[in-house]
Amino acid sequence: KVNEAMYINKMPVTMIIIAINIVMFSISAILSKSIIDIDSRVLLVLGAKYLPIMTEKSQYYRLVTEMFLHGGI
């Protein structure tokens, strides 16, 4: 039998990235009130990459946060 703790101990970065993805998808689905169709305005609020906002308002953190956002299933 495979021990789940072994995976968490050997791949902590991978597990953290998976956890962040699950949390961000859950937040965006709750705010959009839909799991299938995530509202693009919600994605923008949460940090989606949108070049005019990034350059005009110097919000370069969006280069990182956009990796954890999904438009739907």
Side-chain angles (χ1 to χ4, degrees):
K1 183 176 177 176
V2 178
N3 186 358
E4 290 93 13
M6 178 183 72
Y7 287 112
I8 294 171
N9 291 334
K10 287 189 175 185
M11 299 179 283
V13 175
T14 302
M15 294 299 158
I16 290 169
I17 290 172
I18 290 170
I20 292 170
N21 273 300
I22 291 170
V23 168
M24 291 305 293
F25 181 76
S26 299
I27 291 170
S28 60
I30 290 167
L31 293 175
S32 296
K33 298 180 178 126
S34 173
I35 293 175
I36 306 291
D37 186 27
I38 304 298
D39 189 354
S40 59
R41 293 171 292 187
V42 169
L43 294 176
L44 280 175
V45 169
L46 293 176
K49 186 174 84 173
Y50 184 58
L51 196 57
I53 292 175
M54 286 175 53
T55 55
E56 292 170 13
K57 297 185 179 182
S58 301
Q59 295 182 358
Y60 299 109
Y61 66 88
R62 291 177 179 273
L63 289 171
V64 176
T65 57
E66 59 116 5
M67 291 185 281
F68 300 104
L69 297 172
H70 306 281
I73 293 180

